[in-house]
Structure formats: C-alpha cells, structure tokens
C-alpha cells in the first residue's frame, strides 16, 4: 500500500491564480481530511469527508473547495490564491470507526506570491 | 473537545527516557487521549491513544492519571530520530474523527 499520496510536493502560485491539490489513498478509508499548517503552528482542519459525496467544513474553510466523487480521491481546490494561503497542506484518511487513527500524506508546500 | 496544555519545548539525552506531559483538566468521560508526532517537514504520525488505562505499544507508553486530568507520553529509550513536535489531543469518539492540533511540545534529543 502506498498509503496517502499528495501531489504536487511544491508549488508557487501568483495572487489570483487557481489550483487543485490532489490527495489519493489506497486503504479504502471512508474518512478523509485536509489540514493546513502555517510556519511554526499546529495543524488546522480545512474540510473533511465521511464518504463519497459527503463533505463538510472544518475550522478554516474560507477560500477553499472540496469534492469527493470516489472513496480514493479528495482534491482541494483554491480558486483565487491569496498570500494568506501560503502554507503546507496535509491530507489524511482514517477508516472512520471508533477510536481509529488518521494517516497523513507527505504534504504539499504552497507559496502564493 | 477538551483543551490541552503542553510545555513548548523539552530536551532529552539520547538513550534516556523522554517523558512528555499533557494537562487536560476539562476532559469528559467519553474523550480519548491521543498522541501524534511530527518530524520536521513530514506529515503527523500516530503514536498511541488511551481512555482510562495505561497503554503501551512498540513506540511508547501512555500513562493517564486516575482522575484523567493529565497524562504522560513516555519514549523509553529516546534516539536522535525521535526529535519532533509531539501533539497531545483529546477528542470525542465518533465526532467525525476530527483532530484538533494545538502547539505541541518540541522534543530535542541530544547526543
């Protein structure tokens, strides 16, 4: 199993540009998450999904959109990039039962200039 | 989820036990204590979790006080590769499995 994979690893955007961060998991997990981590800070939840077709907002959803058309994929969309979105983005998945744990991807480092 | 308080940073000598404390005085009866760590620039990694009883796995031990208001993560023989930020998280079971990360403790293992 590859676990949770994310692409790209690095990206530089100009203000106002759009992009999609890709996240794929091969563990057949129901739950998937997007977090962001600003320099020197803890992780903050952006969006999460409890299954295909079901998504919900986390703590910091503004400026982002998500979709979940399959169990495996959970892309994060930035429509109008702003410097405040400069961050490291982590995708995670979990089976979604009881006290199970979350498995994280390696992250995407995004810079908006 | 209950709020947690952890020291900002700690040092530990290589080969010695690292004891990382966490206060969670407002924890409620159905909340579990989870520990994750994040090695520089990598995604967080699950370490261990528990409800009431002490727990041990291949990575660490978790000691929860009888009143559940605090806990300690123990790395029995710290190595340089254990240098990381350690997050103590308290969460309600089945709340979408969301994790709320605070600042964590930056553990530096020194030779």
């Amino acid at each position: 199993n590859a676990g949770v994979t994310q692409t790209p690893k690095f990206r530089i955007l100009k203000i106002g540009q759009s992009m999609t961060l890709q996240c794929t998991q091969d563990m057949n997990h129901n739950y998937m998450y997007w977090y962001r981590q600003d320099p020197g800070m803890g992780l903050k939840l952006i969006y999460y999904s409890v299954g295909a077709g079901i998504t919900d907002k986390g703590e910091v959803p503004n400026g982002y959109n998500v979709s979940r058309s399959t169990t495996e994929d959970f892309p994060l969309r930035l429509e109008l990039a702003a410097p405040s979105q400069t961050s490291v983005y982590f995708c995670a998945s979990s089976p979604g039962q009881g006290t199970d744990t979350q498995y994280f991807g390696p992250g995407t480092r995004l810079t908006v200039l | 989820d209950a709020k947690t308080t952890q020291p900002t940073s700690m040092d530990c000598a290589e080969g010695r036990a690292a004891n990382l404390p966490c206060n969670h005085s407002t924890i409620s009866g159905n909340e579990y204590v989870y520990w994750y760590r994040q090695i520089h620039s990598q995604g967080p990694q699950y370490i261990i979790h528990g409800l009431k009883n002490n727990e041990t796995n291949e990575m660490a031990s978790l000691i929860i006080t009888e009143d559940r208001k605090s806990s300690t993560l123990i790395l029995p023989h710290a190595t340089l590769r254990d240098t990381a930020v350690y997050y103590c998280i308290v969460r309600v079971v089945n709340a979408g499995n969301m994790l709320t990360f605070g600042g964590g403790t930056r553990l530096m293992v020194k030779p």
Side-chain angles (χ1 to χ4, degrees):
Chain A
N1 285 349
V4 179
T5 57
Q6 294 183 237
T7 58
K9 292 183 179 179
F10 304 94
R11 183 73 185 268
I12 298 175
L13 283 181
K14 294 182 179 179
I15 295 173
Q17 286 186 320
S18 301
M19 77 163 294
T20 298
L21 283 68
Q22 301 292 344
C23 175
T24 300
Q25 53 93 7
D26 63 358
M27 298 174 282
N28 200 33
H29 284 171
N30 289 322
Y31 286 19
M32 296 188 73
Y33 312 83
W34 275 107
Y35 294 89
R36 61 176 285 175
Q37 185 174 34
D38 298 335
M41 306 294 287
L43 279 74
K44 293 185 178 180
L45 183 66
I46 305 172
Y47 271 96
Y48 68 99
S49 169
V50 300
I54 306 170
T55 63
D56 207 347
K57 297 178 180 179
E59 183 182 1
V60 289
N62 291 342
Y64 307 94
N65 282 301
V66 294
S67 59
R68 184 95 181 271
S69 57
T70 67
T71 298
E72 296 78 19
D73 300 307
F74 190 40
L76 178 71
R77 178 82 177 163
L78 283 71
E79 291 294 346
L80 293 170
S84 61
Q85 294 178 304
T86 294
S87 191
V88 181
Y89 291 84
F90 291 102
C91 179
S93 73
S94 73
Q97 297 173 359
T99 62
D100 58 338
T101 66
Q102 292 189 18
Y103 300 86
F104 285 79
T108 295
R109 186 174 299 273
L110 176 67
T111 301
V112 182
L113 300 174
Chain B
D1 294 342
K3 180 179 172 59
T4 62
T5 303
Q6 299 178 251
T8 303
S9 63
M10 293 180 63
D11 291 343
C12 177
E14 187 178 21
R16 303 296 293 271
N19 296 283
L20 290 88
C22 180
N23 286 321
H24 31 79
S25 58
T26 61
I27 193 170
S28 53
N30 63 344
E31 289 183 310
Y32 284 69
V33 180
Y34 275 74
W35 284 84
Y36 281 74
R37 73 179 182 183
Q38 188 173 23
I39 297 170
H40 181 63
S41 298
Q42 298 181 19
Q45 177 189 25
Y46 166 80
I47 302 173
I48 199 168
H49 75 279
L51 181 62
K52 295 181 181 179
N53 300 321
N54 298 337
E55 302 287 345
T56 296
N57 63 19
E58 65 278 5
M59 290 182 67
S61 295
L62 174 61
I63 309 298
I64 302 174
T65 58
E66 191 169 347
D67 63 8
R68 301 186 70 236
K69 293 184 177 181
S70 65
S71 60
T72 301
L73 177 73
I74 301 173
L75 307 178
H77 304 287
T79 71
L80 298 179
R81 287 179 293 182
D82 291 322
T83 293
V85 178
Y86 287 77
Y87 295 99
C88 170
I89 300 165
V90 171
R91 60 176 283 274
V92 176
V93 175
N94 291 328
N97 274 2
M98 290 180 285
L99 298 174
T100 302
F101 288 81
T105 296
R106 185 173 299 277
L107 176 68
M108 179 74 71
V109 181
K110 298 182 176 180

